[in-house]
Amino acid sequence: MYISRIALNAKRRETMQALVIPPLMHGAVEQSINGERQRNLWRVDWMGDKCYLLVLSGEQPDFTHLVRQFGYTDNEQGWETKDYRTFLAKLQEGDSWKFRLRANPTQSSFKEKDEGTGRGKVHAHVTQEQQRQWLIKRSEKCGFKLNEDNFGVTHTQWEKFPKSRKGAREVIIRTATFEGLLTITDIEHFTASLTTGIGRAKAYGCGLLTIAR
Amino acid sequence: MSTLLLRLAAPLQSWGVDAKFDRRGTQSIPTKSGVIGLVAAALGRRRDEGIDDLQSLRFGVRVDQAGDLLRDYHTAKSVKSTYVTNRYYLSDAVFLVGLQGVETLLKEIDTALRIPTFPLFLGRRSCPPEGKISLGIRTNKNLVEALQEEEWLISDWLRRKEAKYVQLPIVVEVEKETGGAYYIRDNPISFDQNHRKFGFRLVTEIEAKVVINNESRHTVQGDTTAHDPMQELRGE
């Protein structure tokens, strides 16, 4: 398990495109990771005016091509990769961490059925309060506890982009970025949510939970 | 040399140069003849009185909001038949106009614009101005400086509709023929109704005023963070 961070050059045309069309970024991430295909998680973070791509992968990645495509080509080492296992091993129940999660909070309807699958039709949670409740509801299963006043939605927006280059189908999702303080209650479940992500739209840059001091 | 600044804003403005017969066009910016006429009206000058002193003022315009071109399809009845005219207006435009000259004259104009003798209008009788016209005198500033330095004149709610990066075009009078300068026939010589006369004057577009519009809704609300997940892993 590896976590990597790549500095993106947001002024480049290719990068601007990939920032608004997540399937492009997802494709580039998938290309950078060899071995058996797994669910790799990624997220784009802005720190001030600097733009970073964060990737969590099962195998050791090689971002040479991705950096050439979206990054700064002038510096030699365009990315850093760290082993995530050693970090995970240090986590303990009862610890408190600052977290950040960009997710796609949704709920499926009882009444309306989706024509394709026959299951309940999926609706996005729209208001910040709905989104907060969504995360609180999930937190127990995910192995952590949230305090009502210690976390919040820092950003939320509708995103609309084509599903593929050729297809006319559009994907419309609403993303919400959560930030705040969490307490680990169940180490096994917590490690699982760190490594496999939370919620839907994981191919579109959602679901990666990260923690920091 | 000082400069008097005017704000010309109204639901409708119309600045005709070659407006004759059935088609009454408008320029995209105020004409010197139109503005000098407005000043003369404020001063209470009759049409047959001299305007040489006003005409010698150096004239410049900054486009704070370009406005939209509006066509008024207009029918009128003559003795013989009904005929059609097209009258053009600028709607919702805002201009900053500068008049450069000696301070005594500018003071006189400034006072007159606050207490005008005749009613004022922007290019045509049907276009009354909105708000105060005179913004006061900028002492010891030439025309270009005054137009460059003045704040953007539109209201906050309008700002929100505009782009994040805005350039306000500036057109000023010049004396010599230089690259980019062109002639326009709106230099008033006489407003006398028996022999109205307009001459040519030389104008040029100078470097536009640049506004970074922080009120704009086009500003991308950043999803920025201080959260650094790599920080804990540094030691490994």
Side-chain angles (χ1 to χ4, degrees):
Chain A
M1 187 79 20
Y2 299 91
I3 189 156
S4 325
R5 190 165 72 173
I6 306 111
L8 299 183
N9 183 354
K11 290 205 170 104
R12 289 179 61 177
R13 195 181 140 80
E14 296 93 329
T15 320
M16 288 181 192
Q17 249 179 353
L19 286 175
V20 290
I21 308 176
L24 293 182
M25 191 70 86
H26 183 69
V29 170
E30 289 292 316
Q31 254 186 13
S32 312
I33 298 151
N34 290 320
E36 204 180 319
R37 203 173 163 277
Q38 290 174 335
R39 173 66 97 184
N40 301 304
L41 296 169
W42 60 273
R43 182 176 84 208
V44 175
D45 271 0
W46 285 84
M47 297 176 80
D49 54 356
K50 289 199 177 76
C51 183
Y52 293 106
L53 173 66
L54 205 62
V55 178
L56 184 73
S57 58
E59 305 288 326
Q60 177 112 35
D62 176 12
F63 291 113
T64 317
H65 185 68
L66 196 146
V67 169
R68 205 178 296 146
Q69 217 181 345
F70 302 134
Y72 294 90
T73 40
D74 48 347
N75 64 345
E76 290 286 305
Q77 183 67 33
W79 80 87
E80 51 178 337
T81 297
K82 300 279 177 193
D83 193 344
Y84 212 35
R85 289 266 171 232
T86 45
F87 173 65
L88 293 178
K90 284 195 287 189
L91 298 179
Q92 281 180 349
E93 282 177 19
D95 282 356
S96 279
W97 289 85
K98 280 185 191 155
F99 77 98
R100 180 174 167 87
L101 166 71
R102 189 165 172 275
N104 171 221
T106 57
Q107 168 178 277
S108 53
S109 168
F110 291 117
K111 294 173 190 159
E112 296 167 83
K113 296 290 173 207
D114 188 89
E115 283 170 26
T117 60
R119 298 168 67 182
K121 200 170 180 185
V122 176
H123 293 285
H125 280 309
V126 179
T127 66
Q128 296 197 5
E129 196 43 45
Q130 288 170 340
Q131 291 164 347
R132 275 163 55 87
Q133 291 308 322
W134 173 86
L135 190 63
I136 291 175
K137 207 174 148 192
R138 296 201 151 225
S139 61
E140 199 188 336
K141 267 194 203 162
C142 292
F144 61 89
K145 199 175 70 190
L146 290 167
N147 189 332
E148 277 273 3
D149 350 299
N150 268 346
F151 86 106
V153 178
T154 57
H155 184 85
T156 175
Q157 77 175 124
W158 285 105
E159 284 189 45
K160 192 171 154 187
F161 49 86
K163 194 172 170 69
S164 69
R165 221 178 265 267
K166 281 171 272 171
R169 271 199 65 187
E170 267 193 335
V171 178
I172 303 171
I173 56 172
R174 188 171 179 87
T175 60
T177 308
F178 299 93
E179 264 187 47
L181 217 61
L182 60 75
T183 312
I184 305 174
T185 52
D186 181 329
I187 195 69
E188 210 171 300
H189 285 146
F190 187 68
T191 316
S193 28
L194 278 180
T195 53
T196 60
I198 296 172
R200 305 174 72 99
K202 289 181 184 120
Y204 303 140
C206 294
L208 174 59
L209 172 70
T210 56
I211 52 175
R213 284 278 175 217
Chain B
M1 277 296 161
S2 300
T3 302
L4 176 71
L5 291 178
L6 315 178
R7 175 179 176 273
L8 302 184
L12 292 179
Q13 314 189 18
S14 187
W15 305 100
V17 167
D18 279 321
K20 298 207 168 63
F21 307 110
D22 290 351
R23 187 185 172 282
R24 299 296 177 125
T26 174
Q27 298 289 107
S28 54
I29 58 170
T31 56
K32 186 170 185 180
S33 53
V35 176
I36 295 300
L38 175 134
V39 169
L43 290 167
R45 299 216 189 154
R46 304 253 154 207
R47 280 182 174 267
D48 52 4
E49 285 178 57
I51 47 161
D52 290 353
D53 54 340
L54 302 180
Q55 189 237 316
S56 66
L57 295 168
R58 190 176 172 216
F59 179 81
V61 178
R62 190 180 82 189
V63 183
D64 281 37
Q65 184 165 282
D68 300 317
L69 188 66
L70 181 101
R71 187 184 71 146
D72 175 27
Y73 175 88
H74 202 117
T75 57
K77 245 184 185 144
S78 76
V79 184
K80 284 179 188 163
S81 64
T82 307
Y83 68 93
V84 170
T85 73
N86 286 304
R87 291 158 195 213
Y88 290 84
Y89 299 86
L90 296 175
S91 69
D92 283 339
V94 181
F95 300 102
L96 176 71
V97 166
L99 294 169
Q100 182 191 313
V102 288
E103 205 157 331
T104 44
L105 177 61
L106 295 182
K107 266 192 185 140
E108 203 184 320
I109 297 173
D110 183 31
T111 322
L113 284 171
R114 289 163 207 269
I115 324 156
T117 310
F118 298 118
L120 305 178
F121 37 85
L122 305 182
R124 195 175 281 155
R125 191 66 186 255
S126 56
C127 307
E130 176 258 307
K132 277 183 192 164
I133 289 186
S134 181
L135 298 175
I137 298 166
R138 303 292 177 266
T139 314
N140 295 329
K141 291 252 168 70
N142 72 28
L143 183 66
V144 176
E145 286 167 353
L147 290 179
Q148 279 281 10
E149 286 166 20
E150 191 66 16
E151 288 286 301
W152 198 16
L153 292 182
I154 68 174
S155 57
D156 289 349
W157 74 272
L158 276 173
R159 262 178 180 240
R160 251 166 253 142
K161 291 163 74 174
E162 297 282 334
K164 184 163 169 52
Y165 178 90
V166 186
Q167 283 182 295
L168 311 177
I170 300 176
V171 181
V172 295
E173 238 169 62
V174 282
E175 301 217 317
K176 270 182 271 168
E177 222 168 318
T178 47
Y182 55 92
Y183 283 99
I184 176 168
R185 194 176 188 179
D186 68 349
N187 202 7
I189 296 167
S190 166
F191 288 126
D192 193 333
Q193 275 170 319
N194 293 322
H195 45 84
R196 276 208 215 187
K197 211 171 168 192
F198 301 98
F200 288 94
R201 69 189 177 101
L202 197 56
V203 296
T204 190
E205 285 175 32
I206 59 164
E207 207 176 311
K209 180 185 165 79
V210 171
V211 183
I212 304 298
N213 185 11
N214 288 326
E215 299 267 344
S216 176
R217 70 181 161 85
H218 299 286
T219 313
V220 176
Q221 268 301 316
D223 180 16
T224 64
T225 182
H227 180 89
D228 183 2
M230 300 304 276
Q231 154 212 339
E232 272 306 300
L233 302 151
R234 281 282 138 70
E236 277 132 41

